[in-house]
Amino acid sequence: MFCAGGSDSGAGAGGKGVATATTSPLRRSVMLFICLLLNQLSPAQGSVCPDGCLCASDILSCADLHMEQVPREMPVSTVTLDLSHNKIAQLEEGGFGGLARLETLRLPHNQLSGIQSGAFQNSSGTLLRHLDLSSNHLRVLEQHYFLELSGLEELLLFNNRIARVESQALAGLGNLRKLYLSHNRLTDFPFFSFQEHSHPHLSILDLSSNRLPKLPLEDISNLPLAVQSGLYLHNNSLVCECSMYGLFRHWEQRKYASVLDFRQEYTCLVYGIQKGKVRFFQHGRYFENCSLTVLIPPGLQGEQNSSIRVFAGQAVLLNCLTTLTGQHVTFEWVSPNQEYVAPPGNNGSMKMYGNGSLEIVAAQVEDSGIYLCMALDRRRQRNETREVNVTVVLHHDSEPQEPFNTGFTTLLGCVVSLVLVLMYLYLTPCHCPPWRKTSTPATATPSQGNEAGAGSAQSSILTPTPPATTEGPGRKVSTNKHVVFLEPIKEHQNGRLRAGPGPGAGHGHLGPGLLLGAEHYPKLPNQSQQRAAETDSIMSVFSDTPIMLP
């Protein structure tokens, strides 16, 4: 309207004086120049929103519009740009120029197969924090892809077709915190390019669901501990090896979330055969014969106590923990015997690895003492030392609960034995009436003898020796046995009951109902001697000591 109004005013002034008529063409030219300048500057002022896109404040969303290239004109105020679910195949040079405030760029579910050099030039560069290139067709990560993105913190590259990552492709991402490369076709990965000084903030490195057959343990051992705890390697094509198994077992013991959260999905191939896939956290019998040295890979111990206790004959691994890293760092050990140890070891009793770990193959008592590790960075002229105190014990002492368990068992046995003894002493099987002293004459009848014998037999429950007789078939003399008599013994001889001795009997009378042959005991001369014999035969119910009654 301003340009149109200026033109009309010039035309309406044609009837005025000469001076006005001569200046009107100049005014028109100036106004036309201003209009053209404003038209050219209008896109830079952020007044253009691409057709079909949604512009809201600092967000530009052009998702699912079947775009084949990045829009050429976009508001410079854009902080978040969403170009997902389109058909963009290439990121061309300068494609995001002018977006100086861009922090989040989302390009998932496109057809990206490459990124040209300078694709992020003249953009926010160091301000870009989040870049999502997932679910595309990328095959190789080349070293020029992310050169301008030194401030990048999150890089999503999962679900592509990436088979190779160049060693310097991610080297310039010093602020990177999370890198997702899962669901690709990687067969190796440059672990050595991630060091404490190059990626100090990296905490998640997701390499799951790839095709990694083996792991470079030495490179992984040099990774910062924060990277090791966030390294996801499940669902790969790992070959079952003791070193690989030891790595994951160690991470499991340290309770790394990368292992604990995906325990079911950690598998390996037995002998590298695809059909021989096993879940080694659930079925670890394949690794039962792995030695201690292999199960605990060198350099993967993390923080180690300055004092270690080991049993004689066992292997122990000492780690030289230091902040010095790199290929120029060398390690040396000095044993308690002032013995200098350097790679590969010494006399077969000690082995030393390139990362500085020292293994005592079979620890002996004389190996106890303080081991000194020295790390030297010859390039930076720096050195560090660490001491580890090793104590070797002779025998496998029991755990602290074992002495208590043995003492408790002994005490329990004593209590049970005491209870049984008390029961044996005080709990009688029956309440037997006391033996009554009778004044039966020596010429008592057989029936009277039998009645007296009934009381005597009940009062004598246990006797040190059972009755012995040679009368009757199959009767044998038995000694040193306790026999319980609850009733008088009645023996049959020729179909008649044998009664107690009467006048002139030819058998000795040990007690009523207990008869011994005359050949074992002589005849008793009178009644007093007979009573004495009966008294001697009465035995205690609870012991083998006879009780003498008056």
Side-chain angles (χ1 to χ4, degrees):
M1 294 179 61
F2 175 78
C3 295
S7 177
D8 292 341
S9 61
K16 295 184 179 179
V18 177
T20 305
T22 56
T23 58
S24 60
L26 180 61
R27 288 184 60 189
R28 285 198 299 268
S29 300
V30 172
M31 293 172 61
L32 181 60
F33 176 76
I34 294 174
C35 290
L36 292 175
L37 182 62
L38 291 176
N39 289 334
Q40 291 180 357
L41 293 177
S42 58
Q45 292 175 350
S47 61
V48 176
C49 185
D51 293 339
C53 299
L54 177 62
C55 297
S57 182
D58 57 357
I59 299 176
L60 174 59
S61 177
C62 300
D64 199 12
L65 294 179
H66 304 285
M67 290 183 172
E68 296 183 358
Q69 61 182 5
V70 177
R72 295 187 178 276
E73 296 181 353
M74 292 176 287
V76 295
S77 61
T78 301
V79 175
T80 300
L81 176 59
D82 185 2
L83 296 172
S84 61
H85 296 276
N86 282 291
K87 298 180 180 180
I88 302 175
Q90 288 280 338
L91 295 183
E92 299 177 356
E93 180 181 358
F96 301 97
L99 302 181
R101 299 171 57 187
L102 187 64
E103 294 183 6
T104 301
L105 177 58
R106 303 187 69 252
L107 283 161
H109 297 281
N110 276 275
Q111 300 176 6
L112 283 176
S113 59
I115 302 175
Q116 294 183 4
S117 298
F120 300 100
Q121 282 183 353
N122 300 324
S123 62
S124 61
T126 57
L127 294 180
L128 188 64
R129 300 285 185 266
H130 180 92
L131 177 59
D132 187 354
L133 299 176
S134 62
S135 300
N136 278 284
H137 299 165
L138 295 174
R139 297 179 180 274
V140 179
L141 290 187
E142 300 181 18
Q143 59 183 3
H144 69 268
Y145 277 7
F146 312 110
L147 287 179
E148 301 89 1
L149 304 179
S150 59
L152 196 63
E153 295 181 359
E154 291 185 0
L155 178 57
L156 282 66
L157 292 165
F158 61 86
N159 195 28
N160 273 274
R161 304 173 184 177
I162 302 173
R164 182 169 58 90
V165 177
E166 294 186 359
S167 59
Q168 299 298 318
L170 305 169
L173 305 179
N175 289 322
L176 192 63
R177 298 179 183 272
K178 300 178 180 180
L179 175 60
Y180 299 91
L181 278 164
S182 62
H183 296 276
N184 278 286
R185 303 175 182 178
L186 292 172
T187 56
D188 60 359
F189 186 79
F191 290 100
F192 59 86
S193 63
F194 294 88
Q195 300 295 331
E196 185 72 34
H197 62 277
S198 62
H199 297 82
H201 308 294
L202 187 62
S203 60
I204 292 181
L205 177 56
D206 187 359
L207 297 174
S208 62
S209 300
N210 276 280
R211 302 177 182 179
L212 298 174
K214 292 187 178 183
L215 300 176
L217 295 183
E218 187 171 354
D219 292 339
I220 292 178
S221 66
N222 291 326
L223 291 174
L225 292 179
V227 179
Q228 292 186 36
S229 63
L231 180 57
Y232 292 81
L233 293 168
H234 55 278
N235 283 337
N236 271 281
S237 303
L238 298 173
V239 178
C240 294
E241 294 179 341
C242 290
S243 56
M244 178 274 305
Y245 180 72
L247 167 69
F248 293 117
R249 277 298 183 189
H250 171 70
W251 286 354
E252 181 189 33
Q253 293 172 0
R254 296 188 62 84
K255 301 187 182 303
Y256 287 168
S258 58
V259 174
L260 297 181
D261 294 345
F262 296 92
R263 240 175 141 265
Q264 304 283 343
E265 301 180 37
Y266 274 93
T267 60
C268 66
L269 306 179
V270 178
Y271 301 116
I273 303 174
Q274 189 66 32
K275 294 183 178 180
K277 182 181 294 186
V278 295
R279 291 185 173 91
F280 53 80
F281 276 124
Q282 293 180 328
H283 310 285
R285 296 184 61 184
Y286 179 81
F287 304 97
E288 287 180 351
N289 296 327
C290 293
S291 64
L292 175 66
T293 304
V294 182
L295 277 180
I296 307 178
L300 296 178
Q301 295 294 326
E303 296 182 0
Q304 177 177 271
N305 295 330
S306 58
S307 181
I308 297 178
R309 183 172 179 267
V310 64
F311 297 116
Q314 286 187 340
V316 61
L317 192 66
L318 309 180
N319 298 307
C320 187
L321 299 183
T322 176
T323 59
L324 302 179
T325 57
Q327 300 179 353
H328 301 280
V329 178
T330 58
F331 300 91
E332 299 170 353
W333 285 86
V334 177
S335 70
N337 300 325
Q338 306 301 318
E339 183 180 6
Y340 173 80
V341 184
N346 215 7
N347 298 328
S349 60
M350 296 182 185
K351 295 181 180 180
M352 187 173 174
Y353 300 93
N355 63 348
S357 298
L358 177 67
E359 179 195 0
I360 304 176
V361 178
Q364 303 298 327
V365 176
E366 53 270 19
D367 295 328
S368 300
I370 297 178
Y371 288 78
L372 178 64
C373 171
M374 297 175 290
L376 175 62
D377 189 342
R378 301 183 184 277
R379 185 174 183 180
R380 301 181 182 179
Q381 297 298 316
R382 294 178 56 192
N383 62 79
E384 293 181 1
T385 60
R386 173 178 173 80
E387 293 183 355
V388 181
N389 187 13
V390 178
T391 303
V392 182
V393 295
L394 283 175
H395 304 289
H396 294 262
D397 299 333
S398 300
E399 295 184 1
Q401 294 101 353
E402 188 63 24
F404 173 77
N405 292 340
T406 304
F408 179 78
T409 305
T410 304
L411 178 60
L412 181 61
C414 293
V415 172
V416 172
S417 301
L418 181 60
V419 171
L420 292 177
V421 170
L422 293 176
M423 292 175 60
Y424 181 74
L425 291 176
Y426 295 104
L427 298 180
T428 58
C430 63
H431 298 285
C432 302
W435 178 78
R436 292 177 298 175
K437 188 175 181 181
T438 59
S439 59
T440 306
T443 60
T445 62
S447 62
Q448 291 175 344
N450 290 339
E451 291 175 359
S456 176
Q458 291 179 355
S459 64
S460 180
I461 304 298
L462 298 175
T463 61
T465 57
T469 180
T470 57
E471 298 178 7
R475 301 303 300 269
K476 298 181 180 179
V477 178
S478 176
T479 59
N480 297 327
K481 294 183 180 180
H482 295 171
V483 183
V484 177
F485 299 96
L486 297 179
E487 295 182 355
I489 295 179
K490 299 178 181 180
E491 288 194 1
H492 289 76
Q493 185 177 12
N494 298 328
R496 293 178 298 173
L497 290 174
R498 170 176 288 183
H507 293 81
H509 184 204
L510 179 60
L514 303 179
L515 303 179
L516 293 177
E519 64 273 17
H520 296 286
Y521 290 94
K523 294 182 179 180
L524 299 179
N526 50 39
Q527 183 177 0
S528 61
Q529 292 179 357
Q530 180 180 355
R531 286 185 179 177
E534 292 178 355
T535 301
D536 293 339
S537 67
I538 299 175
M539 299 301 170
S540 170
V541 175
F542 308 109
S543 67
D544 292 340
T545 304
I547 299 176
M548 304 301 297
L549 298 178

PDB file of all heavy atoms in Angstrom, residues 94 96-100 118-125 148:
ATOM      1  N   GLY A  94      24.768 -26.035   3.265  1.00  0.00           N
ATOM      2  CA  GLY A  94      24.078 -24.799   3.623  1.00  0.00           C
ATOM      3  C   GLY A  94      22.575 -24.937   3.716  1.00  0.00           C
ATOM      4  O   GLY A  94      21.867 -23.925   3.677  1.00  0.00           O
ATOM      5  N   PHE A  96      20.706 -25.467   6.157  1.00  0.00           N
ATOM      6  CA  PHE A  96      20.107 -24.881   7.373  1.00  0.00           C
ATOM      7  C   PHE A  96      20.720 -23.512   7.670  1.00  0.00           C
ATOM      8  O   PHE A  96      20.728 -23.062   8.817  1.00  0.00           O
ATOM      9  CB  PHE A  96      20.324 -25.820   8.559  1.00  0.00           C
ATOM     10  CG  PHE A  96      19.730 -27.182   8.356  1.00  0.00           C
ATOM     11  CD1 PHE A  96      20.523 -28.230   7.909  1.00  0.00           C
ATOM     12  CD2 PHE A  96      18.380 -27.407   8.571  1.00  0.00           C
ATOM     13  CE1 PHE A  96      19.983 -29.490   7.716  1.00  0.00           C
ATOM     14  CE2 PHE A  96      17.836 -28.660   8.366  1.00  0.00           C
ATOM     15  CZ  PHE A  96      18.632 -29.704   7.937  1.00  0.00           C
ATOM     16  N   GLY A  97      21.203 -22.857   6.639  1.00  0.00           N
ATOM     17  CA  GLY A  97      21.801 -21.540   6.828  1.00  0.00           C
ATOM     18  C   GLY A  97      20.785 -20.525   7.317  1.00  0.00           C
ATOM     19  O   GLY A  97      19.619 -20.521   6.898  1.00  0.00           O
ATOM     20  N   GLY A  98      21.214 -19.662   8.188  1.00  0.00           N
ATOM     21  CA  GLY A  98      20.349 -18.615   8.717  1.00  0.00           C
ATOM     22  C   GLY A  98      19.610 -19.009   9.979  1.00  0.00           C
ATOM     23  O   GLY A  98      19.040 -18.138  10.652  1.00  0.00           O
ATOM     24  N   LEU A  99      19.595 -20.287  10.355  1.00  0.00           N
ATOM     25  CA  LEU A  99      18.891 -20.719  11.576  1.00  0.00           C
ATOM     26  C   LEU A  99      19.868 -20.660  12.748  1.00  0.00           C
ATOM     27  O   LEU A  99      20.342 -21.677  13.254  1.00  0.00           O
ATOM     28  CB  LEU A  99      18.328 -22.128  11.409  1.00  0.00           C
ATOM     29  CG  LEU A  99      17.344 -22.316  10.239  1.00  0.00           C
ATOM     30  CD1 LEU A  99      16.839 -23.746  10.206  1.00  0.00           C
ATOM     31  CD2 LEU A  99      16.184 -21.332  10.327  1.00  0.00           C
ATOM     32  N   ALA A 100      20.149 -19.450  13.181  1.00  0.00           N
ATOM     33  CA  ALA A 100      21.184 -19.250  14.193  1.00  0.00           C
ATOM     34  C   ALA A 100      20.746 -19.653  15.591  1.00  0.00           C
ATOM     35  O   ALA A 100      21.577 -19.755  16.497  1.00  0.00           O
ATOM     36  CB  ALA A 100      21.608 -17.772  14.190  1.00  0.00           C
ATOM     37  N   GLY A 118      29.488 -29.440   4.909  1.00  0.00           N
ATOM     38  CA  GLY A 118      28.966 -28.099   5.136  1.00  0.00           C
ATOM     39  C   GLY A 118      27.465 -28.044   5.234  1.00  0.00           C
ATOM     40  O   GLY A 118      26.876 -26.958   5.101  1.00  0.00           O
ATOM     41  N   ALA A 119      26.808 -29.176   5.471  1.00  0.00           N
ATOM     42  CA  ALA A 119      25.355 -29.164   5.562  1.00  0.00           C
ATOM     43  C   ALA A 119      24.863 -28.311   6.719  1.00  0.00           C
ATOM     44  O   ALA A 119      23.762 -27.752   6.666  1.00  0.00           O
ATOM     45  CB  ALA A 119      24.839 -30.586   5.703  1.00  0.00           C
ATOM     46  N   PHE A 120      25.676 -28.175   7.748  1.00  0.00           N
ATOM     47  CA  PHE A 120      25.251 -27.400   8.920  1.00  0.00           C
ATOM     48  C   PHE A 120      26.004 -26.080   9.037  1.00  0.00           C
ATOM     49  O   PHE A 120      25.996 -25.460  10.101  1.00  0.00           O
ATOM     50  CB  PHE A 120      25.458 -28.232  10.188  1.00  0.00           C
ATOM     51  CG  PHE A 120      24.691 -29.522  10.196  1.00  0.00           C
ATOM     52  CD1 PHE A 120      25.327 -30.724   9.889  1.00  0.00           C
ATOM     53  CD2 PHE A 120      23.336 -29.548  10.475  1.00  0.00           C
ATOM     54  CE1 PHE A 120      24.629 -31.920   9.892  1.00  0.00           C
ATOM     55  CE2 PHE A 120      22.633 -30.735  10.482  1.00  0.00           C
ATOM     56  CZ  PHE A 120      23.272 -31.931  10.181  1.00  0.00           C
ATOM     57  N   GLN A 121      26.631 -25.651   7.964  1.00  0.00           N
ATOM     58  CA  GLN A 121      27.317 -24.362   7.988  1.00  0.00           C
ATOM     59  C   GLN A 121      26.304 -23.227   8.064  1.00  0.00           C
ATOM     60  O   GLN A 121      25.178 -23.331   7.576  1.00  0.00           O
ATOM     61  CB  GLN A 121      28.183 -24.185   6.743  1.00  0.00           C
ATOM     62  CG  GLN A 121      29.502 -24.937   6.795  1.00  0.00           C
ATOM     63  CD  GLN A 121      30.352 -24.681   5.577  1.00  0.00           C
ATOM     64  OE1 GLN A 121      29.920 -24.034   4.622  1.00  0.00           O
ATOM     65  NE2 GLN A 121      31.584 -25.172   5.596  1.00  0.00           N
ATOM     66  N   ASN A 122      26.761 -22.123   8.688  1.00  0.00           N
ATOM     67  CA  ASN A 122      25.935 -20.922   8.827  1.00  0.00           C
ATOM     68  C   ASN A 122      24.646 -21.185   9.602  1.00  0.00           C
ATOM     69  O   ASN A 122      23.689 -20.422   9.492  1.00  0.00           O
ATOM     70  CB  ASN A 122      25.587 -20.330   7.452  1.00  0.00           C
ATOM     71  CG  ASN A 122      26.820 -19.949   6.669  1.00  0.00           C
ATOM     72  OD1 ASN A 122      27.814 -19.489   7.238  1.00  0.00           O
ATOM     73  ND2 ASN A 122      26.776 -20.171   5.355  1.00  0.00           N
ATOM     74  N   SER A 123      24.624 -22.255  10.346  1.00  0.00           N
ATOM     75  CA  SER A 123      23.472 -22.520  11.214  1.00  0.00           C
ATOM     76  C   SER A 123      23.907 -22.267  12.653  1.00  0.00           C
ATOM     77  O   SER A 123      24.939 -21.652  12.916  1.00  0.00           O
ATOM     78  CB  SER A 123      22.979 -23.953  11.031  1.00  0.00           C
ATOM     79  OG  SER A 123      23.986 -24.862  11.407  1.00  0.00           O
ATOM     80  N   SER A 124      23.119 -22.754  13.591  1.00  0.00           N
ATOM     81  CA  SER A 124      23.430 -22.508  15.005  1.00  0.00           C
ATOM     82  C   SER A 124      24.738 -23.176  15.417  1.00  0.00           C
ATOM     83  O   SER A 124      25.438 -22.691  16.301  1.00  0.00           O
ATOM     84  CB  SER A 124      22.287 -23.001  15.888  1.00  0.00           C
ATOM     85  OG  SER A 124      22.119 -24.402  15.716  1.00  0.00           O
ATOM     86  N   GLY A 125      25.085 -24.299  14.767  1.00  0.00           N
ATOM     87  CA  GLY A 125      26.358 -24.972  15.050  1.00  0.00           C
ATOM     88  C   GLY A 125      26.500 -25.381  16.496  1.00  0.00           C
ATOM     89  O   GLY A 125      25.962 -26.412  16.915  1.00  0.00           O
ATOM     90  N   GLU A 148      30.646 -29.479  12.202  1.00  0.00           N
ATOM     91  CA  GLU A 148      30.196 -28.172  12.680  1.00  0.00           C
ATOM     92  C   GLU A 148      29.352 -28.254  13.948  1.00  0.00           C
ATOM     93  O   GLU A 148      28.882 -27.216  14.427  1.00  0.00           O
ATOM     94  CB  GLU A 148      29.369 -27.465  11.582  1.00  0.00           C
ATOM     95  CG  GLU A 148      30.121 -27.236  10.281  1.00  0.00           C
ATOM     96  CD  GLU A 148      29.982 -28.406   9.320  1.00  0.00           C
ATOM     97  OE1 GLU A 148      29.275 -29.361   9.685  1.00  0.00           O
ATOM     98  OE2 GLU A 148      30.586 -28.364   8.225  1.00  0.00           O
TER      99      GLU A 148
END
